[in-house]
Amino acid sequence: MPQFFLNKRLIMLLVSIILLVALIGFSLRDREELTWPEQFVKDTTGWVQSLVSRPAHYIAGFFENLVDLQNTYDENKKLKKHLDDMARLEAKVYSLEKENKELKDVLDKKSSLEDYKPMQARVIARSPDRLWHEKIIINKGKSDGVKKNMAVMTSRGLIGKIKSTTPFTATVQLMSGTDTANRISAALQGEKQLYGTIDGFEEESKLLKLKGLPFDAKIKKGQNVVTSGLGGVFPPNVPIGKVIKVKPGELGLNQTALVKPDADFYDIHHVMVLTRLMPTPPSASIGEGGL
């Protein structure tokens, strides 16, 4: 009996192999239509693949989007830092170009000051808020030879004079300030040179007052105003500004010219302190030194 079952199993195995080979051969033939079992198997397989692939693609796409988002964030961060660096670099270049121009103008101005030695200085402090147009502090003082009443100018024109000094700094009283003692002898250039005194500053119009001009003098708009040099402290012909308009003096005995300064009192960084090469004569107490 066991031998019978063993033979039966062997026969069934052989038949199964034959059927499998036949089915494989049958399925490999070029046919226009598949049998319904093949169609069922393929449809079932396709449906399962579709069911599994959609979530898989969705999850894979989600993680890819996260990676792309992180990459975009990193790129934007780098670009923003690059733009910030560019902005800082442009600001630095602008500042250096401006400073270079100021220093070049200062050097060009030195050759026209005759008997005066220009001492280059830098502004290190300034009166705040409403006193902005009053005073500045420079980085040169007594140890550098700076003395009270010395003229101070930029490459464009006169801005004021030394008010006080310390060993390493000096305070400059600007012509745009309200100090009534800050008077400077000046000359109005023209066919006939006229003399007066820079005395006061109009806050609203931002114009200097040139007082003491003859009441019958013919003064035109645009005439140049320079230092007179009569006091022996300030060099002559340092530009101060140009006449904008003229009005009668306080008592009607003379005229006052309103002068637009050549120098920019608002934006001052580099200045020159003018020191005389020769000893100051006794007459220096008259004019700018006394004014």
Side-chain angles (χ1 to χ4, degrees):
M1 181 66 71
Q3 184 68 30
F4 173 77
F5 284 109
L6 182 61
N7 292 337
K8 186 177 181 181
R9 289 177 182 175
L10 182 59
I11 293 170
M12 290 180 65
L13 178 60
L14 291 174
V15 171
S16 298
I17 293 172
I18 293 170
L19 288 174
L20 180 60
V21 172
L23 288 173
I24 291 172
F26 182 75
S27 62
L28 292 176
R29 290 190 311 167
D30 292 331
R31 292 170 295 153
E32 294 183 359
E33 294 185 3
L34 300 176
T35 61
W36 69 266
E38 289 176 322
Q39 294 177 6
F40 175 77
V41 171
K42 283 195 173 185
D43 289 340
T44 303
T45 304
W47 180 80
V48 172
Q49 289 177 340
S50 176
L51 187 66
V52 174
S53 65
R54 286 182 182 178
H57 284 305
Y58 177 79
I59 294 172
F62 174 77
F63 284 105
E64 287 178 0
N65 290 337
L66 285 179
V67 173
D68 292 340
L69 186 62
Q70 181 64 38
N71 292 337
T72 303
Y73 173 78
D74 293 339
E75 289 177 2
N76 286 341
K77 191 174 180 181
K78 291 179 181 178
L79 289 173
K80 185 178 179 181
K81 184 178 182 301
H82 181 68
L83 290 175
D84 291 341
D85 292 340
M86 286 292 293
R88 284 193 291 270
L89 182 61
E90 288 178 0
K92 186 175 182 180
V93 168
Y94 172 80
S95 178
L96 290 174
E97 288 179 346
K98 186 173 182 294
E99 184 176 8
N100 183 58
K101 184 178 183 304
E102 289 178 356
L103 292 174
K104 184 179 178 182
D105 292 340
V106 166
L107 291 174
D108 292 341
K109 199 68 180 179
K110 285 184 177 182
S111 60
S112 64
L113 294 174
E114 300 179 352
D115 297 332
Y116 289 80
K117 179 183 177 182
M119 180 189 303
Q120 184 182 332
R122 181 168 52 85
V123 176
I124 57 176
R126 189 162 186 170
S127 303
D129 302 331
R130 62 186 181 85
L131 300 178
W132 184 260
H133 289 282
E134 292 285 334
K135 302 172 186 177
I136 59 174
I137 299 176
I138 60 176
N139 65 339
K140 296 292 174 67
K142 289 181 182 178
S143 60
D144 302 292
V146 178
K147 298 179 181 179
K148 184 177 179 179
N149 287 328
M150 284 184 172
V152 181
M153 65 179 293
T154 67
S155 60
R156 297 172 62 179
L158 190 70
I159 61 171
K161 62 184 180 180
I162 300 296
K163 184 177 180 65
S164 62
T165 61
T166 67
F168 303 107
T169 65
T171 300
V172 179
Q173 176 67 56
L174 298 175
M175 290 193 297
S176 57
T178 57
D179 187 352
T180 56
N182 187 27
R183 294 177 292 171
I184 297 171
S185 179
L188 180 64
Q189 293 180 330
E191 294 181 4
K192 180 182 179 181
Q193 188 152 286
L194 304 174
Y195 296 95
T197 304
I198 296 293
D199 184 5
F201 181 76
E202 285 194 348
E203 282 289 338
E204 293 183 1
S205 63
K206 307 300 182 186
L207 299 176
L208 298 168
K209 297 177 183 179
L210 176 58
K211 297 182 179 180
L213 298 172
F215 73 93
D216 58 347
K218 302 296 182 181
I219 303 172
K220 298 179 181 179
K221 180 180 179 180
Q223 282 186 259
N224 290 322
V225 178
V226 299
T227 56
S228 67
L230 296 178
V233 176
F234 283 14
N237 300 319
V238 175
I240 294 177
K242 291 180 173 57
V243 174
I244 299 299
K245 61 181 179 179
V246 182
K247 64 181 183 179
E250 294 177 359
L251 300 178
L253 301 178
N254 48 41
Q255 298 182 85
T256 296
L258 298 180
V259 180
K260 182 179 181 181
D262 288 336
D264 184 358
F265 290 102
Y266 184 82
D267 187 20
I268 305 173
H269 298 285
H270 296 275
V271 300
M272 289 181 289
V273 180
L274 305 183
T275 59
R276 196 173 178 86
L277 294 177
M278 60 184 68
T280 301
S283 60
S285 59
I286 304 174
E288 292 95 334
L291 300 178

